[in-house]
Amino acid sequence: MYQREGNLYADSLNLNKEGIMSKVLIKNIGRLQTPMGSYSHKGKEQGENNKIDNTWILIQDDVIIAIGAENNVPTNLQDVDKEIDAFGGLVTPGLVDGHTHLIFSGFRQNEIVMKLKGASYLDILRAGGGILDTVRHTREASAKELYIQAEEAITEIMCSGVTTMEAKSGYGLDFDNEIKMLNVIKELNEKTKMTLVPTFMGAHAVPPEYAGKADEFIEMLCEEIMPYVKEHELAKYCDIFCENSVFNVKQSERYLGKAKELGLGLRIHADEIDAIGGSKLAGEMKTASAEHLISINEEGLESMAKGGTTAMCLPGTSFYLGAKFAPVREMIKRNIPVAIATDYNPGSCPSFNLQFVMTLGYLKYRMTPEEILTAVTINPACALGLEKEIGTIEVGKKADLVIWDAPDMEMLCYRFGTDLAMNVIKEGEEIE
Ligand code: NIG
Ligand code: FE
């Protein structure tokens, strides 16, 4: 058996060899499919997955220690503590949802009526609703209430195959409430099995007390909240909503510049509705990701390709807003690494169903199943700074895996609306 890190194939299982302490064996894998390597995949590589049929995976504690060769049946199993039968199903890395607004209070189903009367997303926000409506409810909610609502969501999300997700603040918009949200994320990270990557998004909207004073609000975020967030390690990244009627490019540059100075990672909601220069700034500042990009233009595409920024595309939001879909084929053609995520939030995508987002990836972005798998595993893992630990099935990586009630990725992209996750394994432990 080969034990060296990076060596994918083991020719046989010799579990009696000294030094090998086997624990969990996943057997009867019909197809193992995974991107390879700990870097973001762009261009042609976005669509390259490794596929091994009729194989197995061996896990010790929380780490993958061996993977079978094709058509390989493990023998000599006496040291295995536990066997998990994949029943001939597909096994992929645990999915990574790279963009969510997981913590909030108050769904906004009332907006349906306004939308049916013709109000747009920004009309509702400008009238003091939308994000600001959720801000009112989130400010009123206790940390415990926020925790309980998010914990319930996490349980369902994990059972559907997501083992890592990003979570943003941004419905507090003042010191106490932003910190309250980030502390809830911290507690969820400690107490649930989900790995949560926290993002400070104080610049999500201008709160009523700063109406007409967006510059002053940005200064307050940069000088009062962000240093505290950094000092108490409450966030790994900072994000801003760069959009007409919200924050302009200059304000975004100031906010992200401060984040960079403090050593925090960068993201930006860019070109969701209008292309005002957010994606261009993303490339120039080499942000880890730029989000949405529905209206990205030539300048933005060029800048992102040059800066190596990951395009975090959110087709569930396009679907729910009845908007255009981001030009993903063009992005792949131009060597921009693409990730796809849910954007789970109470306004523009009240669904955390990443499997549905994968179907939209195929239907609306015209991505291949291989490109989609890369877009929900290693590419978002890179955008979250976790590429060395997760995002692929390789010896030495965390045993975050999903066994699907499906023979292949095609089935997963095709049967929208049905949860096909049969067994989810997080750091070597079964979730369901
Ligand atoms: O990514 N556009 C800004 N933020 C979220 C929506 C938040 C909300 O409407 O509550 C988004 O779409
Ligand atoms: Fe978002």
Side-chain angles (χ1 to χ4, degrees):
M1 176 193 263
Y2 302 116
Q3 289 294 305
R4 277 181 295 123
E5 185 175 326
N7 201 332
L8 184 68
Y9 300 102
D11 287 330
S12 65
L13 255 185
N14 180 357
L15 299 169
N16 293 327
K17 262 192 188 169
E18 216 182 311
I20 301 170
M21 289 180 41
S22 331
K23 193 181 170 194
V24 179
L25 175 79
I26 306 179
K27 63 177 187 182
N28 291 332
I29 297 173
R31 169 166 294 176
L32 185 161
Q33 185 163 337
T34 178
M36 296 291 286
S38 302
Y39 57 92
S40 62
H41 291 40
K42 54 192 183 184
K44 200 168 146 277
E45 267 197 302
Q46 174 101 33
E48 286 171 4
N49 293 171
N50 195 42
K51 297 176 192 171
I52 312 172
D53 288 347
N54 305 317
T55 191
W56 48 266
I57 297 171
L58 187 63
I59 300 164
Q60 183 182 310
D61 301 325
D62 57 347
V63 174
I64 297 168
I65 59 165
I67 299 165
E70 187 146 293
N71 296 319
N72 183 254
V73 180
T75 52
N76 201 4
L77 295 176
Q78 60 267 37
D79 288 346
V80 173
D81 299 309
K82 186 175 175 181
E83 286 181 28
I84 299 173
D85 199 330
F87 296 106
L90 170 74
V91 173
T92 67
L95 306 185
V96 181
D97 189 344
H99 180 140
T100 84
H101 302 258
L102 173 70
I103 315 296
F104 62 86
S105 175
F107 281 103
R108 305 211 299 267
Q109 68 274 32
N110 59 315
E111 288 179 3
I112 286 186
V113 178
M114 299 181 226
K115 284 183 177 168
L116 286 172
K117 286 185 182 154
S120 73
Y121 182 82
L122 286 183
D123 290 340
I124 297 170
L125 180 59
R126 279 189 286 252
I131 296 175
L132 295 175
D133 193 41
T134 306
V135 169
R136 277 188 289 278
H137 287 97
T138 305
R139 284 179 172 181
E140 277 164 22
S142 66
K144 184 152 191 213
E145 284 162 342
L146 295 175
Y147 181 93
I148 290 168
Q149 183 179 332
E151 188 192 31
E152 277 174 14
I154 284 176
T155 303
E156 210 177 312
I157 294 167
M158 279 206 102
C159 288
S160 72
V162 175
T163 48
T164 299
M165 66 195 285
E166 188 247 17
K168 302 176 197 293
S169 70
Y171 292 118
L173 309 186
D174 62 21
F175 187 93
D176 289 351
N177 287 295
E178 283 297 307
I179 299 305
K180 175 176 77 181
M181 291 187 74
L182 291 170
N183 274 320
V184 170
I185 299 172
K186 187 172 178 216
E187 198 182 339
L188 287 162
N189 221 349
E190 286 162 2
K191 295 189 180 158
T192 72
K193 286 189 175 163
M194 180 72 85
T195 301
L196 290 167
V197 178
T199 296
F200 170 59
M201 198 176 178
H204 196 190
V206 181
E209 59 275 21
Y210 278 90
K213 296 186 286 188
D215 281 339
E216 277 177 48
F217 180 58
I218 290 287
E219 284 314 304
M220 188 280 287
L221 295 174
C222 291
E223 296 307 324
E224 291 176 31
I225 309 188
M226 224 188 264
Y228 183 93
V229 167
K230 171 66 187 176
E231 194 192 330
H232 293 83
E233 295 179 3
L234 289 173
K236 192 168 166 188
Y237 292 88
C238 289
D239 194 346
I240 182 165
F241 189 9
C242 180
E243 187 60 61
N244 273 329
S245 310
V246 194
F247 299 107
N248 61 33
V249 173
K250 198 161 158 250
Q251 289 155 347
S252 304
E253 200 173 353
R254 160 73 177 128
Y255 178 86
L256 295 177
K258 178 69 187 189
K260 192 171 177 186
E261 191 188 305
L262 290 171
L264 290 158
L266 314 181
R267 322 189 175 290
I268 179 167
H269 279 57
D271 309 346
E272 177 176 358
I273 298 158
D274 297 311
I276 64 165
S279 51
K280 180 166 176 274
L281 181 68
E284 285 165 1
M285 295 192 81
K286 299 189 189 309
T287 62
S289 59
E291 332 291 308
H292 289 288
L293 307 169
I294 292 172
S295 310
I296 191 168
N297 57 20
E298 181 57 37
E299 239 185 355
L301 286 164
E302 265 176 36
S303 175
M304 283 189 53
K306 204 163 154 213
T309 292
T310 295
M312 189 68 72
C313 296
L314 310 166
T317 306
S318 290
F319 170 80
Y320 190 71
L321 294 180
K324 280 187 303 180
F325 285 79
V328 164
R329 288 257 55 95
E330 193 58 33
M331 292 167 177
I332 293 176
K333 199 166 124 195
R334 288 164 182 253
N335 284 327
I336 296 170
V338 174
I340 59 176
T342 61
D343 192 23
Y344 174 53
N345 75 76
S348 64
C349 190
S351 166
F352 46 61
N353 190 329
L354 192 56
Q355 285 173 55
F356 177 57
V357 162
M358 289 160 76
T359 299
L360 290 175
Y362 134 65
L363 270 180
K364 298 295 184 179
Y365 291 155
R366 314 304 293 171
M367 297 172 85
T368 65
E370 290 80 5
E371 288 169 339
I372 289 170
L373 186 61
T374 300
V376 292
T377 55
I378 189 63
N379 280 5
C382 284
L384 301 181
L386 294 175
E387 68 277 11
K388 294 210 165 63
E389 291 120 73
I390 58 160
T392 64
I393 302 178
E394 285 175 89
V395 170
K397 282 221 175 170
K398 289 265 186 230
D400 285 5
L401 305 161
V402 188
I403 302 173
W404 300 97
D405 184 11
D408 48 34
M409 271 299 295
E410 282 72 3
M411 182 69 98
L412 218 55
C413 297
Y414 153 81
R415 288 203 61 204
F416 74 94
T418 304
D419 179 7
L420 293 174
M422 187 161 67
N423 203 338
V424 181
I425 293 140
K426 174 67 183 171
E427 295 179 358
E429 278 180 43
E430 279 180 286
I431 298 299
E432 58 165 0

